[in-house]
Amino acid sequence: MSKIHVMDEILANKIAAGEVVERCSSVVKELVENSIDALSSEIKIELIDAGTKQIKVTDNGIGMEEEDAVLAFSRHATSKLIDEDDLYRIETLGFRGEALPSIASVSKVTLDTSNGVTGTHVEVEGGHIKETKSGSLRKGTCITIKDLFYNTPARLKHMKSLYTELANVTDYVNKISLSHPNIKFILINNDNVLLNTDGSNNVLKTIKAIYGLEVAKKMITLKTEDDDYTIEGFISLPEVHRSSRNHMITLVNGRVVRNIELNRIINDSYHSFKPDNRYPIVVLNITVDPSLIDVNIHPTKMDIKFSKFEELKTLIEKAIKDLLHKKRLIPHIEVKEEKVEIKNEPIKKNYVQSQLFVEREVKEDENPYTNEEQVLFVNEDLIEDERNEVIELENNEIIEDKKERLPEIYPVGLVHGTYIICQNEKGMYLIDQHAAKERINYEYYKEKLGNPNDASISLLFPITLELSNSEFIIIKEHLSLLEKLGFNIEEFGINSLIIKAHPTWLPKNYESEAIRKIIDVIINCDKDFSIEKFNEKTATMLSCKMAIKANTSITLEEMERLINDLRNCDNPFNCPHGRPTLVFYSNYDLEKLFKRSGFENKI
Ligand code: ZN
Ligand code: ZN
């Protein structure tokens, strides 16, 4: 009996066929999802020129009988969707059946499929079946799409640069491999292996296959749940970040979705642990009852709506912040050693992998000619350690006592009035004294701004400020805020203000400068002003202002006090701009640096 039912006409119309085949990545997506539906445990995607010349997908799935193989090329045939409701259910991969006829209508297709009993070979050109005959009995399906859009030159022109096409495909395959860690994915472009996952059902190993061992080691395990949601996955240490938001990957019930708001929450949870214009690598799977979600049925966008979204956001935010606050987040400066070959045994390169890091957002209408060179590179780290079954997470320890996150370290000196050298039995630490002081000040001012009292200092000589008329209007709106903070501030003639008193915590000797800057913060926040934003920006601004400048010598006692104050911080590891306050060199790394370790005897 045929597995393919003829699809309901209304449903067929809902799926805009033309939109399914937009570019190489949408073809790959369609074919790969067919392979997943066919219960494959191994899927190999081979491209020639990013897929513009050829896309070949080979799987080891259940295959098709001859009848289904032919029917697969006719419109509105589907083996997956039975009724409209299925479209809303995230558990299915959806949209089967409609895309393959569309793809076949604009390319030359060869299909070899076998269920192990019969083998079928079908050739299709421009949508017309050219040949059907019996073929190989290798179980599974191999489909080759040649010369995409050969008969629709207008669409061919619409294709982006090869780089963009390849980046889109890689991005898709990376994500689908993360959502199906139990399937082995191999992605090859012009004989270069871009991805080779092991299908061992281990998400961390899939992360390693995509991002490399160094990144995989720096992931933190996250697990949390409430009555409605269970969230599991990995988040990168704050020191690991990328220029694109594209590496924050959320799966819902095992399926990749795109939700801008979720990404924003994830990224904001890292606030002040990393620079604001850099983004973490995050892979989270959210398990939820399908009745609590609504999936956008547009076939190329995987947006999703959650019915208890506020609850979900709070859950994710809390989980990430809790983790970051219970870790020792000191970047470890690792010294790379040259590989030495021992006993004539060559380094095995049977898994030579190159990596395509998509260091940017994949957008529909972007300029295809930007950022092209910096992106393709070979990650040599992946050549070694392939047989190493367990990836040792570098930061697995949960530290409950806040003060113990910063280890006991002892200052021994100062470089260029800028970096404090510290030591303990584990190795050497370098503290950036400006960044450290900035962090201490930031938390101090944030506390003051967040818990205002009316203690203020009257000025012997009141300060007057002249503003432009538009600035004046903005400030007038926020006068009550300034008063609450302890400012005595009044209108003083046209577009002018007079400040007669200011809060006690305002930095001494910098009063008028600080007041002017606080006024500027309000003016710059104008459009989307909020108290949180104002406090954040004001604290950051004041903290930098009051921090020790570079090239300032301080005594050992002052260094000790600085380290102690840093230890008491909520986040001792980053300045408010997200830069590290300290870095760590292990004894072993120092030895490597001076060639004391390894094959030579220690002297
Ligand atoms: Zn600064
Ligand atoms: Zn800073």
Side-chain angles (χ1 to χ4, degrees):
M1 149 90 187
S2 161
K3 276 194 274 334
I4 299 196
H5 310 270
V6 173
M7 200 161 78
D8 180 55
E9 192 68 39
I10 306 160
L11 185 54
N13 291 338
K14 269 200 156 162
I15 304 167
E19 288 173 47
V20 177
V21 196
E22 275 179 322
R23 48 183 37 110
C24 297
S25 60
S26 41
V27 175
V28 170
K29 177 177 187 293
E30 176 61 25
L31 301 181
V32 165
E33 288 179 4
N34 282 339
S35 294
I36 293 171
D37 286 351
L39 309 175
S40 310
S41 62
E42 197 171 319
I43 301 171
K44 186 176 182 183
I45 304 127
E46 293 163 280
L47 311 174
I48 297 178
D49 290 354
T52 55
K53 288 228 169 72
Q54 185 176 305
I55 298 167
K56 182 176 173 188
V57 175
T58 312
D59 70 42
N60 63 351
I62 54 172
M64 285 183 270
E65 353 179 325
E66 188 184 329
E67 189 190 353
D68 285 344
V70 174
L71 203 52
F73 292 100
S74 65
R75 245 168 228 296
H76 313 324
T78 175
S79 63
K80 194 78 185 176
L81 299 179
I82 310 299
D83 60 46
E84 195 168 329
D85 281 349
D86 277 345
L87 276 178
Y88 296 94
R89 238 169 259 148
I90 198 155
E91 285 152 323
T92 73
L93 280 163
F95 315 113
R96 293 287 69 76
E98 184 65 5
L100 194 54
S102 306
I103 294 164
S105 67
V106 293
S107 64
K108 297 166 186 166
V109 182
T110 314
L111 173 75
D112 280 287
T113 185
S114 170
N115 54 11
V117 183
T118 57
T120 311
H121 174 90
V122 186
E123 280 179 30
V124 187
E125 207 174 303
H128 303 288
I129 292 180
K130 290 268 168 209
E131 192 184 6
T132 309
K133 60 180 186 191
S134 58
S136 144
L137 284 178
R138 190 200 71 89
K139 198 174 168 207
T141 300
C142 173
I143 185 159
T144 309
I145 313 287
K146 271 193 184 144
D147 304 329
L148 196 60
F149 304 129
Y150 81 102
N151 55 357
T152 46
R155 289 286 280 285
L156 191 58
K157 262 194 187 161
H158 188 67
M159 297 269 258
K160 310 275 176 157
S161 71
L162 288 188
Y163 166 77
T164 306
E165 292 298 332
L166 187 58
N168 280 312
V169 172
T170 309
D171 186 56
Y172 166 72
V173 179
N174 285 350
K175 285 177 177 166
I176 200 81
S177 66
L178 284 167
S179 61
H180 294 82
N182 56 328
I183 299 175
K184 178 175 178 62
F185 285 92
I186 303 167
L187 173 64
I188 298 170
N189 180 55
N190 296 347
D191 295 331
N192 291 318
V193 180
L194 301 179
L195 181 70
N196 185 356
T197 70
D198 68 356
S200 64
N201 207 16
N202 180 327
V203 177
L204 195 56
K205 285 173 119 182
T206 312
I207 291 173
K208 178 192 156 196
I210 296 170
Y211 295 103
L213 181 62
E214 287 309 308
V215 167
K217 273 160 49 183
K218 291 183 172 157
M219 301 302 285
I220 320 175
T221 313
L222 181 147
K223 198 170 178 178
T224 186
E225 63 182 340
D226 67 3
D227 290 344
D228 297 301
Y229 296 104
T230 302
I231 301 166
E232 270 180 284
F234 296 92
I235 66 170
S236 61
L237 288 176
E239 68 185 271
V240 179
H241 41 62
R242 294 280 185 266
S243 63
S244 151
R245 289 182 179 82
N246 211 24
H247 306 276
M248 292 182 276
I249 298 160
T250 36
L251 316 172
V252 173
N253 295 344
R255 185 174 176 179
V256 176
V257 298
R258 204 183 301 172
N259 186 297
I260 294 165
E261 186 70 357
L262 272 187
N263 280 353
R264 198 183 59 74
I265 289 295
I266 292 169
N267 185 50
D268 286 356
S269 305
Y270 276 81
H271 176 67
S272 109
F273 281 89
K274 58 156 188 63
D276 279 344
N277 60 351
R278 305 280 299 179
Y279 304 94
I281 297 173
V282 171
V283 181
L284 292 182
N285 185 27
I286 302 167
T287 310
V288 57
D289 188 308
S291 67
L292 282 178
I293 50 177
D294 183 11
V295 185
N296 185 333
I297 65 159
H298 190 284
T300 58
K301 295 192 183 74
M302 287 305 151
D303 201 5
I304 189 164
K305 288 191 174 65
F306 299 86
S307 55
K308 292 186 180 173
F309 197 39
E310 287 307 314
E311 181 190 316
L312 176 65
K313 286 198 297 193
T314 314
L315 190 65
I316 291 179
E317 184 181 5
K318 190 176 174 309
I320 296 178
K321 283 188 173 170
D322 275 1
L323 265 184
L324 294 182
H325 279 100
K326 286 179 181 167
K327 291 283 178 187
R328 184 167 288 165
L329 301 173
I330 306 172
H332 178 179
I333 310 297
E334 267 174 281
V335 177
K336 291 267 180 296
E337 221 170 4
E338 288 161 48
K339 286 274 163 311
V340 185
E341 286 186 26
I342 308 159
K343 284 191 234 154
N344 300 327
E345 222 177 273
I347 297 170
K348 284 187 185 130
K349 295 202 179 189
N350 42 349
Y351 289 98
V352 178
Q353 299 170 60
S354 59
Q355 294 289 301
L356 180 72
F357 282 84
V358 189
E359 268 289 299
R360 55 201 239 313
E361 216 94 7
V362 179
K363 284 188 198 128
E364 300 287 278
D365 299 307
E366 69 190 359
N367 177 359
Y369 299 108
T370 51
N371 284 343
E372 300 210 0
E373 310 77 13
Q374 64 178 60
V375 178
L376 270 170
F377 58 92
V378 174
N379 191 331
E380 292 288 341
D381 291 343
L382 289 177
I383 295 165
E384 54 170 337
D385 275 307
E386 193 53 48
R387 295 181 187 283
N388 203 351
E389 286 300 306
V390 189
I391 300 165
E392 293 267 353
L393 290 178
E394 226 166 62
N395 202 322
N396 230 353
E397 198 186 353
I398 296 280
I399 302 166
E400 294 290 345
D401 185 353
K402 188 177 137 181
K403 291 188 181 180
E404 278 177 13
R405 290 171 303 161
L406 203 64
E408 283 299 335
I409 52 175
Y410 309 95
V412 289
L414 189 66
V415 182
H416 291 319
T418 304
Y419 307 107
I420 303 169
I421 304 172
C422 303
Q423 65 173 357
N424 66 9
E425 71 289 350
K426 294 214 167 79
M428 176 178 84
Y429 299 77
L430 287 179
I431 298 181
D432 178 332
Q433 66 169 358
H434 174 81
K437 191 68 186 156
E438 223 177 23
R439 161 56 59 177
I440 296 160
N441 291 341
Y442 166 79
E443 295 200 2
Y444 170 80
Y445 288 119
K446 246 195 136 177
E447 206 273 324
K448 292 293 172 201
L449 288 157
N451 305 289
N453 57 33
D454 41 19
S456 63
I457 298 172
S458 293
L459 284 157
L460 215 48
F461 305 102
I463 298 164
T464 53
L465 273 181
E466 269 184 58
L467 302 169
S468 76
N469 52 2
S470 58
E471 289 173 338
F472 188 69
I473 293 165
I474 298 168
I475 296 301
K476 258 180 75 176
E477 247 181 77
H478 296 289
L479 275 185
S480 64
L481 163 78
L482 292 170
E483 275 159 17
K484 224 179 271 164
L485 288 175
F487 286 95
N488 179 340
I489 186 165
E490 287 164 18
E491 283 183 54
F492 188 66
I494 302 160
N495 299 338
S496 288
L497 296 167
I498 184 162
I499 294 115
K500 294 178 177 165
H502 64 73
T504 49
W505 45 259
L506 213 63
K508 276 188 189 47
N509 305 324
Y510 293 97
E511 289 87 352
S512 54
E513 202 186 337
I515 291 168
R516 175 72 232 191
K517 290 227 157 122
I518 291 172
I519 299 284
D520 286 344
V521 169
I522 297 178
I523 291 163
N524 293 332
C525 286
D526 177 33
K527 288 247 160 52
D528 38 14
F529 183 89
S530 72
I531 293 287
E532 294 76 46
K533 224 171 167 179
F534 168 78
N535 289 353
E536 173 69 31
K537 291 202 165 157
T538 305
T540 305
M541 178 272 291
L542 291 173
S543 70
C544 182
K545 187 88 239 140
M546 290 315 292
I548 318 158
K549 293 288 163 260
N551 291 312
T552 309
S553 279
I554 59 171
T555 63
L556 278 180
E557 286 73 38
E558 286 173 301
M559 294 176 204
E560 271 164 15
R561 209 171 312 132
L562 184 81
I563 294 165
N564 209 35
D565 289 346
L566 193 60
R567 185 184 310 285
N568 286 318
C569 284
D570 246 5
N571 169 12
F573 308 110
N574 302 92
C575 86
H577 306 94
R579 289 198 297 111
T581 52
L582 76 166
V583 296
F584 170 60
Y585 291 80
S586 70
N587 288 330
Y588 179 61
D589 281 299
L590 293 172
E591 282 170 8
K592 273 200 281 187
L593 203 56
F594 292 99
K595 312 285 180 213
R596 282 164 164 264
S597 70
F599 55 98
E600 237 178 274
N601 288 331
K602 279 186 205 173
I603 300 158

